[in-house]
Structure formats: structure tokens, C-alpha cells
């Protein structure tokens, strides 16, 4: 039962990340200008550059593998497919082939549940993202404590855990501004 909860918790973290990337950043005041210099000095943490390199490497390897399997699709930086699938059967074939590609890349076919230590690292990275957004002029509400966040993310059926991109004060931002901020303050990512 505990292993199943951990799997669902990791799935929630992965799904939340995908939803946030798809929807863009939620909120910010409409006066935020992502192209402007940060309002306070900001230096990206080391993990941002490391993950950017890992994402591109993963994307390129997955693209090459899928190309070799005869797929005519575009792999995005999150490891997903840009083009829509025409049927559920096509989607299922793609999922199976992507799992085969992951194994050929030395990874588990399916993403594994995050460990407690990995969740703690994600939480710390989310705090970095929040600080980045603040440095770029976004008025953010308070972050959930690490203990409360871990409890929420690991709870059965928990859909209400803190994420900097779901801050209610940020909903007025246009999608263009949200996407610009997403590029400046990227979310944590793992090839998991």
C-alpha cells in the first residue's frame, strides 16, 4: 500500500509539472515585464544549467531513437511529443516505443516514483523558482513549509499542494508573459 502511495505521489508530481508546462505560468500581475532586468540581483542556481543540458541531451536521444523507429514526430524539451496523435492506438504505440527508447538510453522504461530525498530536492528547487519569479517582479504569496508540502504531495488524492506556478496572485498574466517567465525561471525536471 505504501509503495502504491509513493507511485501515485510521483505521478502527481510528474502530472503537475506537465500541466504547469502546458498551461504556462499561472498568474502574475499584468504589469510584469519578463524582458526587463530582474528587480533584485538574481543568479540561477547551478541545477538550472545542469537540468537544461540534461533536458537537451534527453530530447536529442529520444528524438533520434523515435526517428530510427519510423516516427515522424517532434520531441519537446520536456520529453513529450509536440504533434497530436490521431488515435488512442497511435498514442499507445508511441508510449510503448518511448519506453523502449528509454531502456535503450539506459533508463527504466517507465519513470520511477520519486524518493523522499528526491522530493526534498524538488521542494528546494521550487523555492529557487519562487525566488526567481520574485526577482523578476512577480508578487508571490508564501510558500508551503517543506513538511506540509511533503505531507500534501504524498497524501492519497492530494491535489492541493504548493507550487510557485499555481500562485493565485499570478493569474492576470498573458500567456506570452507566462512563457517568457517560464524560460527565465524553469521548473525542476528529471529524466527519472
Amino acid at each position: 500500500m505504501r509503495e502504491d502511495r509513493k507511485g501515485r505521489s510521483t505521478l502527481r508530481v510528474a502530472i503537475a509539472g506537465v500541466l504547469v508546462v502546458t498551461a504556462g505560468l499561472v498568474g502574475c500581475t499584468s504589469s510584469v515585464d519578463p524582458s526587463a532586468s530582474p528587480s533584485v540581483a538574481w543568479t540561477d542556481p547551478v541545477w538550472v544549467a545542469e537540468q537544461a543540458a540534461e533536458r537537451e541531451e534527453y530530447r536529442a536521444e529520444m528524438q533520434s531513437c523515435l526517428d530510427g523507429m519510423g516516427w515522424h514526430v517532434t520531441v519537446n524539451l520536456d520529453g513529450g511529443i509536440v504533434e497530436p496523435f490521431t488515435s488512442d492506438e497511435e498514442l499507445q504505440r508511441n508510449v510503448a516505443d518511448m519506453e523502449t527508447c528509454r531502456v535503450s538510453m539506459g533508463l527504466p522504461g517507465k519513470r520511477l516514483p520519486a524518493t523522499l530525498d528526491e522530493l526534498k530536492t524538488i521542494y528546494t528547487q521550487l523555492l529557487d523558482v519562487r525566488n526567481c519569479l520574485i526577482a523578476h517582479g512577480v508578487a508571490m504569496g508564501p510558500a508551503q513549509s517543506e513538511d506540509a508540502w511533503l505531507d500534501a504531495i504524498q497524501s492519497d488524492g492530494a491535489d492541493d499542494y504548493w507550487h510557485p506556478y499555481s500562485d493565485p496572485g499570478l493569474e492576470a498574466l498573458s500567456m506570452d508573459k507566462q512563457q517568457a517567465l517560464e524560460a527565465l525561471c524553469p521548473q525542476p525536471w528529471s529524466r527519472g
Side-chain angles (χ1 to χ4, degrees):
M1 180 76 152
R2 185 74 175 150
E3 286 296 311
D4 187 47
R5 278 182 48 171
K6 284 174 47 177
R8 285 184 291 195
S9 295
T10 301
L11 180 59
R12 275 197 288 298
V13 170
I15 289 172
V18 170
L19 290 175
V20 170
V21 169
T22 302
L25 299 174
V26 178
C28 279
T29 62
S30 58
S31 63
V32 173
D33 181 2
S35 63
S37 297
S39 58
V40 295
W42 177 256
T43 303
D44 285 335
V46 173
W47 67 264
V48 172
E50 290 171 349
Q51 286 187 4
E54 289 173 9
R55 286 171 92 147
E56 176 51 33
E57 178 185 357
Y58 180 90
R59 187 211 61 76
E61 287 181 45
M62 181 62 72
Q63 185 71 62
S64 177
C65 182
L66 290 174
D67 289 350
M69 297 175 106
W71 285 96
H72 301 288
V73 294
T74 307
V75 179
N76 66 27
L77 281 175
D78 295 312
I81 303 300
V82 173
E83 297 82 6
F85 293 99
T86 58
S87 68
D88 192 46
E89 179 183 295
E90 182 183 42
L91 171 64
Q92 296 307 317
R93 279 189 310 109
N94 182 262
V95 168
D97 286 350
M98 287 183 83
E99 288 175 1
T100 299
C101 288
R102 283 179 56 84
V103 169
S104 74
M105 294 162 57
L107 301 168
K110 294 183 180 187
R111 293 181 185 266
L112 298 175
T115 65
L116 182 59
D117 286 341
E118 289 167 336
L119 288 173
K120 288 180 178 184
T121 298
I122 291 168
Y123 175 80
T124 301
Q125 292 170 339
L126 290 174
L127 290 178
D128 290 339
V129 171
R130 179 182 181 275
N131 291 334
C132 178
L133 291 168
I134 290 169
H136 285 86
V138 179
M140 302 287 292
Q144 202 171 22
S145 73
E146 180 182 59
D147 288 339
W149 186 82
L150 288 169
D151 287 346
I153 201 78
Q154 295 177 347
S155 295
D156 287 334
D159 293 328
D160 191 27
Y161 51 87
W162 173 80
H163 194 288
Y165 294 140
S166 61
D167 190 285
L170 305 179
E171 292 178 348
L173 254 186
S174 71
M175 284 304 269
D176 288 344
K177 288 179 182 177
Q178 293 174 26
Q179 290 170 349
L181 282 169
E182 173 76 24
L184 291 170
C185 304
Q187 297 185 61
W189 180 86
S190 170
R191 63 176 66 208

